[in-house]
Each structure stands twice: as structure tokens, then as C-alpha cells.
Amino acid sequence: MQLKTVENYQDMSMVACSIIMEKVKQLESPVLGLATGSTPEGLYKQLIEQYKQDNVSFQNVKTFNLDEYVGLTKQNKQSYDYYMRENLFSHIDIDLANTYLPNGASADLDQECIDYEARIKQAGGIDIQVLGIGLNGHIGFNEPGTNFSSRTHIIDLAESTRTANARFFDSLEEVPEQAITMGVDTIMDSKEILLLVSGEKKAEAVSRMLEGEISEEFPASILQKHPHVTVVGDKAALSLL
Ligand code: F6R
């Protein structure tokens, strides 16, 4: 596990951007695993900026997102599908047909999970997966207690996660109770992982992830076993190490 300590959120985003750009340039048909939430917004802004300056193209890139809320259609402004178009896809030269998110509005969610796994496999697997971390140690929406051998599945969101994400909705009641998420084992299959973390609020989670016991009660702790993880964190987030 490689740890890169940076000054602040802006620097975290810039370092992450250069890691992703290097991967996109190095591979013929790169497959990126992407996350939503507050943490990667700066990374996506930087990537858009680099694209505008002609420093990178996404024409040959495929993307797979970690997760999506159950019950929200692509058109719903709170869906992760919408988030990705708003924050990245609409501003770069990626073919939208090469961008994948689980369909949380599918009539057959179990089949959707199976299909999502198959699509990742068909693309040759994920070259680099961007991750954030939840305060309770979740990665993707794999909440504490999720089996380490899990593949893409439906999960009941923890109340603490719904409360943390209520800031994106008008009220807590509107936050969906379930999500589709890549499983822990799906994430661990990525060839490389780039975990981003910023702010004092995340300091305890980072310390448990890197120095705590490897346990399904704290899903991110499994990353200690992945052969190629880079954690880019600001000083506040890494302050308890
Ligand atoms: C998002 C995701 C989540 C977030 C985590 C941190 O696709 O899978 O695991 O990375 O909840 O969220 P933020 O970045 O909003 O603190």
C-alpha cells in the first residue's frame, strides 16, 4: 500500500488526476472504476480541465461506477447516473455508451447484478478503481457486515449512510433505503485501487482502514490485502496515523 500525503483537498484532486491521466495514456483501452460523492468531485473537475487543455482524451475509455441507488431512474437528479453526467461525462469526449452504472430502476434487480458483473468481465476487468471511504468503513455501498466474498448485490443502506447522504436530498425520507453496489470481492479484483480521502472527519476511518484489524465489520480494512493500492489523503485525513 502506497500512502501519498498532501496538503489539502485541491492537492488530493490534482495528484489523483495525474494518476488517472497516466493510466489513460498508458493503456490502449483503459477501464476506469469510478465513485460518486463529495470526495471525487475535485478529481473530475481536474480531468475536465485537462481535457479542455487537450492534455487527455477519453475516446477509448470505458467506465464502471461502484454503485447506484435502488428506485431512482437515470433522469432523477439524485441518481449517480445523473451525477456522473453532470460532474464528468457531459464535459469530456467519452462515448456515453462506454459508461456503465448499475441500473437501480431495473425491474429485475437480481439479474441486473449478474449482468453488471458480466459487463465488467467482458471489458477485461477494471484497470484502476477510484474509491472514497464512508465514516463506517464502507467502500462502494458495502456496509459493515458485508461478506468479503460478495460480488455486485443489493444492499440495505445503513442509517448512518442515509443520514450522511441526506445532504444531497431535500430530506432524509427521500434517501433511498437500498442500493446496488459492486461487492467487496468485485472491488478487490480491480488491478489497481486509488483511494481518496480528505478532511478530519475521515481521520478515524482512515486509521482503522490502514492500521486496524481486517474485519467484515470494517469493509475498507480488506484493502490491506490488495497488492496495488494508493491512498491519496490530505494531512487532516491522515492525522491519526
Ligand atoms: C460513492 C461510494 C461511497 C463514497 C463514500 C464517501 O460511489 O461508493 O463509498 O465514496 O460514501 O462519500 P463522500 O465522498 O461523499 O464522503
Side-chain angles (χ1 to χ4, degrees):
M1 179 133 17
Q2 210 196 346
L3 196 58
K4 288 187 197 265
T5 312
V6 295
E7 201 62 39
N8 52 35
Y9 180 82
Q10 173 78 2
D11 290 355
M12 177 201 78
S13 305
M14 275 163 38
V15 171
C17 176
S18 55
I19 293 173
I20 296 292
M21 273 179 55
E22 199 184 304
K23 193 56 74 184
V24 168
K25 288 180 177 181
Q26 175 196 339
L27 300 174
E28 225 166 274
S29 39
V31 181
L32 306 180
L34 299 179
T36 56
S38 302
T39 309
E41 280 176 8
L43 159 64
Y44 298 151
K45 282 202 178 91
Q46 292 293 331
L47 287 172
I48 293 167
E49 205 42 52
Q50 292 297 326
Y51 164 71
K52 283 186 179 157
Q53 290 174 20
D54 251 348
N55 292 330
V56 65
S57 165
F58 297 88
Q59 273 173 345
N60 299 326
V61 172
K62 281 197 176 122
T63 66
F64 286 91
N65 265 76
L66 284 166
D67 39 24
E68 178 62 283
Y69 289 115
V70 164
L72 302 191
T73 62
K74 284 170 186 278
Q75 290 75 33
N76 190 307
K77 288 194 172 171
Q78 268 82 30
S79 73
Y80 285 165
D81 207 297
Y82 191 94
Y83 168 108
M84 287 310 302
R85 278 174 282 130
E86 277 288 295
N87 286 288
L88 184 63
F89 300 151
S90 303
H91 309 282
I92 56 174
D93 62 345
I94 198 162
D95 181 350
L96 272 185
N98 288 335
T99 66
Y100 299 90
L101 286 97
N103 177 7
S106 166
D108 188 344
L109 290 169
D110 290 333
Q111 190 59 45
E112 178 61 21
C113 294
I114 294 167
D115 292 348
Y116 201 63
E117 284 284 329
R119 279 181 223 125
I120 296 173
K121 202 168 168 193
Q122 215 170 33
I126 290 168
D127 292 309
I128 184 163
Q129 174 68 56
V130 177
L131 291 181
I133 181 172
L135 295 175
N136 63 2
H138 73 216
I139 45 175
F141 270 140
N142 294 289
E143 300 286 24
T146 306
N147 209 303
F148 277 160
S149 61
S150 56
R151 307 295 303 189
T152 300
H153 63 289
I154 312 294
I155 189 126
D156 293 335
L157 295 173
E159 270 321 292
S160 61
T161 300
R162 291 187 65 241
T163 307
N165 288 4
R167 68 189 192 278
F168 297 112
F169 292 80
D170 287 337
S171 67
L172 177 61
E173 291 68 49
E174 280 183 32
V175 185
E177 293 187 347
Q178 291 187 313
I180 302 190
T181 179
M182 281 187 200
V184 176
D185 202 41
T186 319
I187 293 171
M188 287 295 280
D189 270 353
S190 312
K191 291 163 201 145
E192 191 175 336
I193 286 176
L194 173 61
L195 188 136
L196 306 179
V197 66
S198 167
E200 199 187 340
K201 227 172 50 177
K202 296 279 176 82
E204 200 177 321
V206 175
S207 133
R208 274 187 82 180
M209 164 177 77
L210 298 177
E211 295 171 344
E213 179 200 353
I214 300 177
S215 153
E216 289 178 346
E217 288 314 310
F218 201 79
S221 61
I222 191 71
L223 297 177
Q224 291 177 31
K225 289 202 167 170
H226 192 285
H228 197 169
V229 179
T230 305
V231 176
V232 183
D234 61 18
K235 283 186 174 159
L238 304 184
S239 59
L240 292 180
L241 297 180

